């Protein structure tokens, strides 16, 4: 099962480490959704191309665009710059949808009390990060991830670094969080 935990406050050491608190404080995926609106789906990484589960999800959620990103020194153009920008706290005007097919990494999201939650992703994990949430991404010490990216319509990748509190998507996110993410995740 996917693991998520509250991070320590050690921003000086390697971002690619686990950064657990002492003792570790895990959060369930249900709690994660309630606090942040982040959705999670588990797919079969060996059969997703033919088993219909991903296809059904794409149709249900209207994902019309799909591509792949490989984050590694060898494959990602402007690697250092991109890795730095992924780990700079930011938000997007649209959902960030990633399905991990190889490798691993960490998505960090802020909870309702501004605490960082780290979500460890592995092959078969699909994560939907809501529009307007402050978040960031880092590779772990394996330094490699290959993920599918989905989008409703034409993709908009632009990150807006914090502070972006005046953006409509941020205000809408805060309002949804205030009301509670009550609509079922799937
Ligand atoms: C594994 S996807 C790379 C990270 C990314 O695309 C992004 O937008 C992070 O916020
Ligand atoms: Fe992002």
């Amino acid at each position: 099962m996917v693991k998520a935990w509250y991070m320590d406050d050690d921003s000086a050491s390697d971002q690619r480490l686990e950064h657990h608190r002492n003792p570790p404080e895990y959060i369930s995926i249900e709690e994660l959704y309630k606090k942040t609106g982040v959705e999670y789906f588990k797919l079969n990484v060996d059969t997703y191309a033919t088993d219909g589960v991903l296809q059904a999800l794409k149709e249900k959620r209207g994902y019309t665009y799909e591509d792949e990103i490989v984050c590694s020194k060898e494959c990602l153009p402007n690697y250092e710059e991109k890795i730095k920008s992924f780990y700079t706290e930011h938000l997007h005007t649209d959902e960030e949808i990633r399905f991990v097919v190889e490798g691993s990494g960490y998505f960090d999201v802020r909870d309702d009390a501004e605490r960082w939650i780290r979500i460890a992703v592995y092959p078969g994990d699909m994560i939907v990060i809501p529009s307007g949430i402050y978040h960031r991404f880092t590779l772990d010490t394996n330094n490699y991830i290959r993920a599918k990216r989905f989008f409703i319509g034409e993709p908009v990748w632009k990150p807006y670094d914090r502070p972006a509190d005046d953006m409509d998507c941020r205000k809408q996110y805060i309002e949804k969080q205030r009301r509670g993410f009550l609509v079922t995740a799937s």
Side-chain angles (χ1 to χ4, degrees):
M1 198 45 183
V2 67
K3 284 194 178 140
W5 57 85
Y6 284 102
M7 293 183 73
D8 63 19
D9 293 323
D10 177 14
S11 54
S13 66
D14 191 338
Q15 69 192 48
R16 301 167 311 140
L17 300 176
E18 291 181 334
H19 284 276
H20 274 292
R21 290 188 177 185
N22 186 14
E25 275 180 57
Y26 286 95
I27 175 169
S28 70
I29 214 66
E30 292 79 17
E31 270 305 299
L32 178 70
Y33 176 70
K34 277 193 212 157
K35 283 179 186 287
T36 66
V38 170
E39 294 173 81
Y40 171 80
F41 302 92
K42 182 74 187 174
L43 304 183
N44 185 324
V45 76
D46 298 319
T47 62
Y48 73 86
T50 52
D51 64 22
V53 178
L54 177 60
Q55 187 57 31
L57 202 55
K58 281 163 58 177
E59 283 167 19
K60 184 173 177 186
R61 304 189 61 122
Y63 300 156
T64 48
Y65 174 92
E66 174 177 342
D67 72 2
E68 233 175 61
I69 182 168
V70 181
C71 300
S72 71
K73 227 171 206 151
E74 298 70 32
C75 298
L76 189 65
N78 306 318
Y79 176 79
E80 302 292 349
E81 193 186 305
K82 287 265 178 56
I83 289 297
K84 195 170 165 204
S85 130
F86 289 158
Y87 202 62
T88 302
E89 184 171 1
H90 64 275
L91 56 72
H92 303 281
T93 52
D94 298 86
E95 290 178 336
E96 180 168 318
I97 306 143
R98 301 288 184 270
F99 170 45
V100 183
V101 286
E102 248 185 1
S104 50
Y106 299 124
F107 284 93
D108 299 339
V109 296
R110 291 272 195 195
D111 79 354
D112 49 349
E114 294 275 7
R115 293 170 297 196
W116 280 116
I117 297 172
R118 174 151 280 193
I119 309 157
V121 290
Y122 293 93
D125 292 337
M126 183 164 174
I127 188 165
V128 181
I129 295 181
S131 147
I133 188 176
Y134 286 124
H135 68 280
R136 63 191 182 191
F137 170 81
T138 182
L139 288 169
D140 60 20
T141 51
N142 291 314
N143 294 317
Y144 181 82
I145 196 167
R146 182 162 68 90
K148 290 191 174 292
R149 309 189 291 188
F150 299 97
F151 214 86
I152 302 170
E154 282 303 303
V156 181
W157 309 121
K158 187 173 167 47
Y160 293 87
D161 290 349
R162 191 169 189 171
D165 297 345
D166 289 338
M167 292 184 68
D168 284 349
C169 65
R170 178 65 187 166
K171 291 179 188 162
Q172 285 158 13
Y173 174 77
I174 294 289
E175 183 54 19
K176 278 189 218 160
Q177 192 173 47
R178 192 188 65 76
R179 288 190 194 175
F181 298 99
L182 292 176
V183 185
T184 52
S186 53

PDB file of all heavy atoms in Angstrom, residues 86 90-92 96 98 107 129 135-137 157 159, ligand 2:
ATOM      1  N   PHE A  86      11.039  21.365  -9.745  1.00  0.00           N
ATOM      2  CA  PHE A  86      10.039  20.421  -9.213  1.00  0.00           C
ATOM      3  C   PHE A  86       9.982  20.500  -7.681  1.00  0.00           C
ATOM      4  O   PHE A  86       8.930  20.287  -7.080  1.00  0.00           O
ATOM      5  CB  PHE A  86      10.387  18.971  -9.592  1.00  0.00           C
ATOM      6  CG  PHE A  86      10.203  18.630 -11.043  1.00  0.00           C
ATOM      7  CD1 PHE A  86      10.890  17.549 -11.601  1.00  0.00           C
ATOM      8  CD2 PHE A  86       9.335  19.346 -11.860  1.00  0.00           C
ATOM      9  CE1 PHE A  86      10.722  17.204 -12.939  1.00  0.00           C
ATOM     10  CE2 PHE A  86       9.167  19.009 -13.201  1.00  0.00           C
ATOM     11  CZ  PHE A  86       9.866  17.945 -13.737  1.00  0.00           C
ATOM     12  N   HIS A  90       5.165  24.931  -5.179  1.00  0.00           N
ATOM     13  CA  HIS A  90       4.397  25.576  -6.247  1.00  0.00           C
ATOM     14  C   HIS A  90       2.990  25.015  -6.296  1.00  0.00           C
ATOM     15  O   HIS A  90       2.651  24.052  -5.601  1.00  0.00           O
ATOM     16  CB  HIS A  90       5.096  25.374  -7.604  1.00  0.00           C
ATOM     17  CG  HIS A  90       5.180  23.940  -8.044  1.00  0.00           C
ATOM     18  ND1 HIS A  90       6.180  23.085  -7.653  1.00  0.00           N
ATOM     19  CD2 HIS A  90       4.367  23.197  -8.840  1.00  0.00           C
ATOM     20  CE1 HIS A  90       5.999  21.899  -8.193  1.00  0.00           C
ATOM     21  NE2 HIS A  90       4.887  21.929  -8.920  1.00  0.00           N
ATOM     22  N   LEU A  91       2.171  25.611  -7.154  1.00  0.00           N
ATOM     23  CA  LEU A  91       0.839  25.059  -7.452  1.00  0.00           C
ATOM     24  C   LEU A  91       0.618  25.139  -8.957  1.00  0.00           C
ATOM     25  O   LEU A  91       1.410  25.748  -9.686  1.00  0.00           O
ATOM     26  CB  LEU A  91      -0.257  25.787  -6.672  1.00  0.00           C
ATOM     27  CG  LEU A  91      -0.412  27.304  -6.802  1.00  0.00           C
ATOM     28  CD1 LEU A  91      -0.974  27.757  -8.135  1.00  0.00           C
ATOM     29  CD2 LEU A  91      -1.340  27.831  -5.688  1.00  0.00           C
ATOM     30  N   HIS A  92      -0.462  24.493  -9.411  1.00  0.00           N
ATOM     31  CA  HIS A  92      -0.841  24.545 -10.825  1.00  0.00           C
ATOM     32  C   HIS A  92      -2.317  24.926 -10.918  1.00  0.00           C
ATOM     33  O   HIS A  92      -3.089  24.719  -9.981  1.00  0.00           O
ATOM     34  CB  HIS A  92      -0.663  23.186 -11.511  1.00  0.00           C
ATOM     35  CG  HIS A  92       0.713  22.637 -11.420  1.00  0.00           C
ATOM     36  ND1 HIS A  92       1.754  23.056 -12.224  1.00  0.00           N
ATOM     37  CD2 HIS A  92       1.244  21.691 -10.608  1.00  0.00           C
ATOM     38  CE1 HIS A  92       2.850  22.381 -11.905  1.00  0.00           C
ATOM     39  NE2 HIS A  92       2.562  21.539 -10.924  1.00  0.00           N
ATOM     40  N   GLU A  96      -2.502  17.757 -11.225  1.00  0.00           N
ATOM     41  CA  GLU A  96      -1.279  17.084 -11.661  1.00  0.00           C
ATOM     42  C   GLU A  96      -1.530  15.589 -11.485  1.00  0.00           C
ATOM     43  O   GLU A  96      -1.692  15.115 -10.361  1.00  0.00           O
ATOM     44  CB  GLU A  96      -0.112  17.561 -10.789  1.00  0.00           C
ATOM     45  CG  GLU A  96       1.209  16.924 -11.154  1.00  0.00           C
ATOM     46  CD  GLU A  96       2.383  17.652 -10.469  1.00  0.00           C
ATOM     47  OE1 GLU A  96       2.390  18.891 -10.421  1.00  0.00           O
ATOM     48  OE2 GLU A  96       3.263  16.948  -9.973  1.00  0.00           O
ATOM     49  N   ARG A  98      -0.256  11.763 -12.186  1.00  0.00           N
ATOM     50  CA  ARG A  98       0.927  10.978 -12.524  1.00  0.00           C
ATOM     51  C   ARG A  98       0.682   9.506 -12.189  1.00  0.00           C
ATOM     52  O   ARG A  98       0.168   9.177 -11.137  1.00  0.00           O
ATOM     53  CB  ARG A  98       2.148  11.457 -11.714  1.00  0.00           C
ATOM     54  CG  ARG A  98       2.509  12.925 -11.941  1.00  0.00           C
ATOM     55  CD  ARG A  98       3.132  13.174 -13.316  1.00  0.00           C
ATOM     56  NE  ARG A  98       3.552  14.548 -13.478  1.00  0.00           N
ATOM     57  CZ  ARG A  98       2.792  15.531 -13.956  1.00  0.00           C
ATOM     58  NH1 ARG A  98       1.544  15.287 -14.338  1.00  0.00           N
ATOM     59  NH2 ARG A  98       3.279  16.757 -14.079  1.00  0.00           N
ATOM     60  N   PHE A 107       6.210  12.754  -3.741  1.00  0.00           N
ATOM     61  CA  PHE A 107       5.417  13.967  -3.900  1.00  0.00           C
ATOM     62  C   PHE A 107       5.157  14.484  -2.489  1.00  0.00           C
ATOM     63  O   PHE A 107       4.712  13.726  -1.617  1.00  0.00           O
ATOM     64  CB  PHE A 107       4.086  13.673  -4.596  1.00  0.00           C
ATOM     65  CG  PHE A 107       4.232  13.444  -6.071  1.00  0.00           C
ATOM     66  CD1 PHE A 107       4.393  12.165  -6.579  1.00  0.00           C
ATOM     67  CD2 PHE A 107       4.223  14.509  -6.957  1.00  0.00           C
ATOM     68  CE1 PHE A 107       4.546  11.953  -7.937  1.00  0.00           C
ATOM     69  CE2 PHE A 107       4.372  14.308  -8.321  1.00  0.00           C
ATOM     70  CZ  PHE A 107       4.537  13.029  -8.813  1.00  0.00           C
ATOM     71  N   ILE A 129      -3.002  15.217  -7.843  1.00  0.00           N
ATOM     72  CA  ILE A 129      -2.750  16.360  -6.965  1.00  0.00           C
ATOM     73  C   ILE A 129      -3.668  17.499  -7.399  1.00  0.00           C
ATOM     74  O   ILE A 129      -3.623  17.922  -8.565  1.00  0.00           O
ATOM     75  CB  ILE A 129      -1.264  16.760  -7.068  1.00  0.00           C
ATOM     76  CG1 ILE A 129      -0.433  15.607  -6.521  1.00  0.00           C
ATOM     77  CG2 ILE A 129      -0.974  18.064  -6.347  1.00  0.00           C
ATOM     78  CD1 ILE A 129       1.030  15.820  -6.530  1.00  0.00           C
ATOM     79  N   HIS A 135       2.623  22.148  -3.441  1.00  0.00           N
ATOM     80  CA  HIS A 135       3.265  20.834  -3.468  1.00  0.00           C
ATOM     81  C   HIS A 135       4.655  20.926  -4.095  1.00  0.00           C
ATOM     82  O   HIS A 135       5.051  21.993  -4.583  1.00  0.00           O
ATOM     83  CB  HIS A 135       2.400  19.834  -4.261  1.00  0.00           C
ATOM     84  CG  HIS A 135       2.360  20.158  -5.719  1.00  0.00           C
ATOM     85  ND1 HIS A 135       1.551  21.134  -6.251  1.00  0.00           N
ATOM     86  CD2 HIS A 135       3.063  19.654  -6.770  1.00  0.00           C
ATOM     87  CE1 HIS A 135       1.734  21.217  -7.548  1.00  0.00           C
ATOM     88  NE2 HIS A 135       2.653  20.326  -7.897  1.00  0.00           N
ATOM     89  N   ARG A 136       5.356  19.799  -4.133  1.00  0.00           N
ATOM     90  CA  ARG A 136       6.662  19.714  -4.786  1.00  0.00           C
ATOM     91  C   ARG A 136       6.963  18.237  -5.042  1.00  0.00           C
ATOM     92  O   ARG A 136       6.265  17.358  -4.516  1.00  0.00           O
ATOM     93  CB  ARG A 136       7.742  20.345  -3.902  1.00  0.00           C
ATOM     94  CG  ARG A 136       7.927  19.633  -2.594  1.00  0.00           C
ATOM     95  CD  ARG A 136       8.808  20.415  -1.623  1.00  0.00           C
ATOM     96  NE  ARG A 136       8.984  19.654  -0.393  1.00  0.00           N
ATOM     97  CZ  ARG A 136       9.519  20.133   0.718  1.00  0.00           C
ATOM     98  NH1 ARG A 136       9.936  21.379   0.778  1.00  0.00           N
ATOM     99  NH2 ARG A 136       9.648  19.368   1.786  1.00  0.00           N
ATOM    100  N   PHE A 137       7.977  17.990  -5.855  1.00  0.00           N
ATOM    101  CA  PHE A 137       8.347  16.599  -6.182  1.00  0.00           C
ATOM    102  C   PHE A 137       9.858  16.456  -6.092  1.00  0.00           C
ATOM    103  O   PHE A 137      10.602  17.363  -6.463  1.00  0.00           O
ATOM    104  CB  PHE A 137       7.902  16.227  -7.595  1.00  0.00           C
ATOM    105  CG  PHE A 137       8.467  14.908  -8.054  1.00  0.00           C
ATOM    106  CD1 PHE A 137       7.879  13.714  -7.666  1.00  0.00           C
ATOM    107  CD2 PHE A 137       9.624  14.862  -8.832  1.00  0.00           C
ATOM    108  CE1 PHE A 137       8.426  12.493  -8.036  1.00  0.00           C
ATOM    109  CE2 PHE A 137      10.183  13.643  -9.213  1.00  0.00           C
ATOM    110  CZ  PHE A 137       9.577  12.458  -8.821  1.00  0.00           C
ATOM    111  N   TRP A 157       1.570  22.989 -18.083  1.00  0.00           N
ATOM    112  CA  TRP A 157       2.522  22.486 -17.084  1.00  0.00           C
ATOM    113  C   TRP A 157       2.978  23.574 -16.118  1.00  0.00           C
ATOM    114  O   TRP A 157       3.617  23.277 -15.114  1.00  0.00           O
ATOM    115  CB  TRP A 157       3.780  21.899 -17.748  1.00  0.00           C
ATOM    116  CG  TRP A 157       3.520  20.896 -18.822  1.00  0.00           C
ATOM    117  CD1 TRP A 157       3.920  20.981 -20.120  1.00  0.00           C
ATOM    118  CD2 TRP A 157       2.812  19.655 -18.701  1.00  0.00           C
ATOM    119  NE1 TRP A 157       3.511  19.877 -20.809  1.00  0.00           N
ATOM    120  CE2 TRP A 157       2.825  19.040 -19.966  1.00  0.00           C
ATOM    121  CE3 TRP A 157       2.158  18.995 -17.652  1.00  0.00           C
ATOM    122  CZ2 TRP A 157       2.223  17.812 -20.216  1.00  0.00           C
ATOM    123  CZ3 TRP A 157       1.554  17.781 -17.896  1.00  0.00           C
ATOM    124  CH2 TRP A 157       1.595  17.201 -19.155  1.00  0.00           C
ATOM    125  N   PRO A 159       4.262  25.881 -13.466  1.00  0.00           N
ATOM    126  CA  PRO A 159       4.174  25.949 -12.005  1.00  0.00           C
ATOM    127  C   PRO A 159       4.141  27.411 -11.560  1.00  0.00           C
ATOM    128  O   PRO A 159       4.822  28.256 -12.136  1.00  0.00           O
ATOM    129  CB  PRO A 159       5.483  25.286 -11.551  1.00  0.00           C
ATOM    130  CG  PRO A 159       6.439  25.477 -12.675  1.00  0.00           C
ATOM    131  CD  PRO A 159       5.660  25.703 -13.935  1.00  0.00           C
TER     132      PRO A 159
HETATM  133 FE1  LIG B   2       3.681  20.330  -9.776  1.00  0.00          FE
END
